[in-house]
Amino acid sequence: MTDTSGQLSKERTNVGVIGGGAWGTALAMHAAAMGHDTIIWAREKEVAESINDPAVKENTTYLQGYKVPEALRASNDIKAVVAHAEILLMVIPTPFVAATMSTIRDSLRPEQIIVSCTKGILNDTLETVNQILTRVVPETLHGQLAYLSGPSFAAEVAQGMPTAVTIASKSDTVAARVQLLLSTPRFRCYRTTDVEGVELGGALKNVLALACGISDGLNFGCNGRAALITRGLSEMTRLAVALGAHPLTMGGLAGMGDLVLTCTGDLSRNRTVGIRLGKGEKLKDIIDSMKAVAEGVLTSRSAHQLAQKLNVECPIIAGIYKVIHENADARAVVSETMSRELRAEVDPELFEAAARQR
Ligand SMILES: NC(=O)C1=CN([C@@H]2O[C@H](COP(=O)(O)OP(=O)(O)OC[C@H]3O[C@@H](n4cnc5c(N)ncnc54)[C@H](O)[C@@H]3O)[C@@H](O)[C@H]2O)C=CC1
Ligand SMILES: O=C(CO)COP(=O)(O)O
């Protein structure tokens, strides 16, 4: 493929990436390949070393097999990365966002833009990343927050494969700036002001990816998977609308786009966890065998609790919660879900009830 990166915007800036996992690394590779002066903060010494070592130039821990651009530098000094950056991409798994961002709270500058690329809902507080960030970062920066989500496997972005994502910010000016700074002919960014929709789409699809994985692990076939994706999108939409999202966002990249990718793509960690569960492995053994995070495992608890709290009907999410957190038998849960009271496919009352929660 011809490299046409950079035709869309000539502006180059300083980018800091907070988080040296697979997605943080792929995004840092993308930013550096565009010509942005990019430094990635990695928590682990060996990650920074392997990215910096001229003989390696690879994140051998989290994104093995993909050479990073020569210009990309890594550091274990998070404050130095913050000091360098005009735009900060935050790519920390949800459970660690608050603690990590608290350590740099006082180093952040009011003109910096912070783009969360994380997909999850916290347990206990049931906060989205947007809510965590508005709790943790200074108020002067709240207008500078943005969210990047959509169908984007790190390994494919690392190879420069065509990808489209959505950038959400309450400020259309901020969303447009991030869109311009990150778009290339291979990485197309759309934008929206529906922060809730983009965040909830990205978080909730992980729960459905677990469901599809379990179904595939049980050899329940293509019909079952398509049913899960479609009815899963219904649940995601009802719950997200109850939490303030626009329903149309759930039909976009951050909703349906990422749902289809993660429910069908073999690169998905959440789908893989589901497949292994469906084949009979224990959750603890699966998690212990992985370095990467599968956000859907914890988000399934948060999503189920939010649905209960808001009285939004989400039978698939409830079923996944039972399988993951209550050790329920997946076959029995499928049977129970399929035997619920029969109903119309589109039930306007359910949407109206969800919308009333806003
Ligand atoms: N990998 C992918 O293809 C994509 C991932 N995402 C999202 O990006 C976020 C980050 O995922 P990845 O970059 O893939 O990470 P990863 O799953 O490859 O690696 C785990 C990351 O967690 C970090 N970590 C572990 N313990 C920590 C602690 N106590 N404090 C701070 N950080 C800690 C590790 O340093 C590492 O960066 C997640 O929310 C994920 O859902 C979003 C789109 C694509
Ligand atoms: O969010 C993703 C792709 O858009 C990655 O999903 P997994 O975490 O399931 O690999």
Side-chain angles (χ1 to χ4, degrees), residues 119 150-153 205-206 209 258 261-262 267-271 293-295:
K119 296 174 179 171
S152 47
F153 284 139
K205 64 86 189 171
N206 284 332
D258 213 356
L261 178 85
T262 328
L267 287 173
S268 165
R269 291 93 54 97
N270 287 286
R271 177 174 147 74
V293 288
E295 290 261 21

Side-chain angles (χ1 to χ4, degrees), residues 25-91:
T25 304
L27 286 169
M29 290 167 71
H30 169 68
M34 282 185 80
H36 295 303
D37 187 353
T38 307
I39 312 183
I40 180 168
W41 171 75
R43 196 169 149 265
E44 300 87 346
K45 200 165 173 285
E46 64 276 15
V47 171
E49 278 172 1
S50 72
I51 290 173
N52 287 331
D53 185 342
V56 183
K57 285 309 264 178
E58 196 176 308
N59 182 342
T60 47
T61 307
Y62 291 109
L63 195 62
Q64 200 167 21
Y66 304 100
K67 292 280 176 214
V68 305
E70 285 302 316
L72 177 63
R73 287 164 290 152
S75 171
N76 294 126
D77 181 348
I78 193 167
K79 289 191 177 160
V81 174
V82 173
H84 163 82
E86 298 300 321
I87 167 167
L88 272 174
L89 306 183
M90 193 217 63
V91 205

Side-chain angles (χ1 to χ4, degrees), residues 291-303:
K291 273 193 201 124
V293 288
E295 290 261 21
V297 171
L298 293 182
T299 295
S300 62
R301 182 192 294 278
S302 310

Side-chain angles (χ1 to χ4, degrees), residues 79-335:
K79 289 191 177 160
V81 174
V82 173
H84 163 82
E86 298 300 321
I87 167 167
L88 272 174
L89 306 183
M90 193 217 63
V91 205
I92 305 280
T94 311
F96 314 123
V97 168
T100 307
M101 293 307 283
S102 298
T103 65
I104 55 168
R105 187 186 191 283
D106 296 333
S107 310
L108 295 166
R109 304 187 301 280
E111 76 284 0
Q112 280 176 317
I113 292 177
I114 303 173
V115 187
S116 162
C117 311
T118 298
K119 296 174 179 171
I121 305 173
L122 200 57
N123 280 180
D124 303 324
T125 65
L126 308 183
E127 289 167 300
T128 59
V129 177
N130 165 37
Q131 290 167 326
I132 301 171
L133 286 181
T134 46
R135 167 162 63 82
V136 172
V137 307
E139 211 174 329
T140 46
L141 272 154
H142 288 186
Q144 301 286 95
L145 297 173
Y147 301 85
L148 184 157
S149 196
S152 47
F153 284 139
E156 294 193 4
V157 171
Q159 293 169 79
M161 290 183 174
T163 299
V165 297
T166 303
I167 312 289
S169 174
K170 293 288 176 198
S171 157
D172 189 49
T173 311
V174 169
R177 176 142 175 77
V178 176
Q179 178 183 38
L180 200 62
L181 285 171
L182 293 182
S183 287
T184 71
R186 294 189 195 168
F187 193 83
R188 183 169 172 80
C189 302
Y190 288 80
R191 71 173 192 273
T192 175
T193 53
D194 185 7
V195 169
E196 287 79 9
V198 164
E199 277 229 283
L200 290 162
L204 294 174
K205 64 86 189 171
N206 284 332
V207 183
L208 277 310
L210 283 170
C212 284
I214 292 172
S215 173
D216 286 353
L218 289 167
N219 286 323
F220 276 0
C222 300
N223 297 350
R225 193 201 298 154
L228 278 171
I229 292 173
T230 317
R231 296 309 301 166
L233 183 61
S234 256
E235 289 188 21
M236 283 169 58
T237 307
R238 282 200 295 274
L239 186 51
V241 166
L243 288 161
H246 193 289
L248 287 180
T249 303
M250 307 314 282
L253 291 164
M256 190 180 77
D258 213 356
L259 179 68
V260 170
L261 178 85
T262 328
C263 288
T264 61
D266 289 335
L267 287 173
S268 165
R269 291 93 54 97
N270 287 286
R271 177 174 147 74
T272 302
V273 169
I275 290 173
R276 291 174 65 177
L277 279 170
K279 288 189 186 303
E281 285 187 64
K282 295 269 169 277
L283 181 65
K284 185 176 180 314
D285 296 340
I286 301 170
I287 302 292
D288 287 350
S289 73
M290 294 170 60
K291 273 193 201 124
V293 288
E295 290 261 21
V297 171
L298 293 182
T299 295
S300 62
R301 182 192 294 278
S302 310
H304 177 57
Q305 286 177 357
L306 280 170
Q308 283 188 314
K309 190 173 148 192
L310 297 168
N311 204 19
V312 177
E313 199 179 352
C314 291
I316 302 171
I317 291 172
I320 290 304
Y321 168 80
K322 283 187 208 158
V323 172
I324 301 271
H325 299 285
E326 292 181 349
N327 209 19
D329 176 62
R331 283 174 195 275
V333 167
V334 171
S335 191

